[in-house]
Amino acid sequence: MKKSWFFLLVVFTFQVIYPQDFPINLPPKISKGLKVLFIGNSLTYSNNLPKLVKKEIRSKGINLKTEMIAYPNYAIEDHWNDGKVQKLIAKNHYDFVIIQQGPSSQEEGRNMLLSYGKKLKQLCESKNSQLVYFMVWPSRTYYHTFDDVITNHREAALKNGALLSSVGEEWKGYFDGTGDYSYYAKDGFHPSIKGSKVAAKIISQTLLKVKK
C-alpha cells in the first residue's frame, strides 16, 4: 500500500514540475483557416500590417488569407463612397472585415465611426462576416486626445455590435507605464515596426478570441 502511494506521489510531482503544453481548442471554422479584409489608410499599410497579422496567426497553426484596401489619409467614409469595399465584401465571403481610420478623437471622426461603421456592419452581417474596429492612436503632438480616441472607438463598436481590437488602448497603457514611445516611428504618428508587431499581436488575439 505504501509503495502505491509513493508511486502516485512521484507521478503527481512529475506532472507539476513538467506540465504539458496543451493546444488551444479553436472552433472548427477557425481551425480550417480564416479570410480577412483590411480597410484603412497608412496606419494599416505601414510595415504591411496584414502580413504581420498573417505571421502571428500562422504561428498558432492556422492558415490566414488577407486582402487590403488602404490609401493615404482615407477614412471609412471615403472607402464607402468609392464603392470598392462593398464589392469586395459582397463577393469574397470574409470571416472578418477590419476597419480603420484616423484617430477620430473629434466629433466628425466619431460620427464617421458610428454611421459608416453601421453601414459596413449591415453589409458584413448579410455576408456572414464579422466587423472589427481597429482602434488606433493619436500623434504624439495630440497625445492629450488619446482618451477621446479610446472612448469613440469603444462607443462605435458597442453601438454597432462589432468587435473591437483595442490596439490604441494597449499602446497608451504601455506608454503611460514605461515612458517608452518606441511604438511610434520617427514622425511621431505612424507605427514603428515594433509598434506594428504589437498591433498585429493584439489584432490576432481579437480574431482568435485568445486572451493574453
Side-chain angles (χ1 to χ4, degrees), residues 1-210:
M1 187 69 175
K2 290 182 179 179
K3 289 183 179 180
S4 297
W5 278 107
F6 177 77
F7 175 76
L8 289 172
L9 180 60
V10 170
V11 172
F12 178 76
T13 304
F14 178 83
Q15 290 176 334
V16 171
I17 296 175
Y18 303 102
Q20 295 293 321
D21 186 16
F22 293 104
I24 298 168
N25 292 321
L26 295 167
K29 185 177 181 181
I30 291 180
S31 299
K32 292 178 181 178
L34 296 171
K35 192 172 184 180
V36 178
L37 174 64
F38 287 80
I39 300 170
N41 56 35
S42 56
L43 298 182
T44 289
Y45 68 67
S46 290
N47 303 315
N48 199 341
L49 180 61
K51 184 177 180 179
L52 295 174
V53 172
K54 181 184 292 187
K55 182 178 180 180
E56 185 72 28
I57 288 183
R58 283 185 171 177
S59 72
K60 310 293 184 185
I62 301 163
N63 187 45
L64 176 67
K65 294 181 180 179
T66 64
E67 292 183 55
M68 174 172 61
I69 179 167
Y71 305 115
N73 302 315
Y74 257 52
I76 55 176
E77 176 184 19
D78 300 314
H79 282 292
W80 182 268
N81 291 338
D82 279 355
K84 294 179 182 178
V85 295
Q86 294 94 316
K87 294 176 182 177
L88 285 171
I89 294 170
K91 71 178 183 179
N92 284 299
H93 305 288
Y94 299 105
D95 295 292
F96 298 98
V97 174
I98 300 175
I99 58 173
Q100 171 269 313
Q101 63 178 23
S104 307
S105 62
Q106 298 182 352
E107 193 65 18
E108 182 182 10
R110 172 182 172 272
N111 289 337
M112 281 191 281
L113 287 175
L114 287 165
S115 59
Y116 286 90
K118 183 177 181 179
K119 293 175 186 288
L120 285 163
K121 171 64 176 179
Q122 291 171 343
L123 179 58
C124 286
E125 279 190 337
S126 71
K127 298 299 176 180
N128 294 317
S129 301
Q130 292 193 63
L131 183 69
V132 183
Y133 282 90
F134 166 16
M135 179 198 292
V136 291
W137 49 85
S139 67
R140 289 197 65 183
T141 302
Y142 292 98
Y143 196 88
H144 61 280
T145 67
F146 222 135
D147 287 340
D148 291 328
V149 173
I150 293 170
T151 297
N152 290 344
H153 278 83
R154 282 180 176 174
E155 179 189 14
L158 181 63
K159 287 189 174 180
N160 288 326
L163 296 174
L164 177 63
S165 191
S166 302
V167 177
E169 189 169 3
E170 294 283 345
W171 274 36
K172 187 176 189 296
Y174 178 78
F175 296 151
D176 292 349
T178 66
D180 173 14
Y181 295 90
S182 59
Y183 291 175
Y184 284 110
K186 290 182 179 180
D187 67 359
F189 180 47
H190 289 90
S192 64
I193 185 63
K194 181 179 180 181
S196 289
K197 285 181 177 179
V198 170
K201 184 174 182 179
I202 296 166
I203 291 170
S204 298
Q205 290 168 348
T206 302
L207 301 187
L208 300 179
K209 297 182 174 63
V210 176

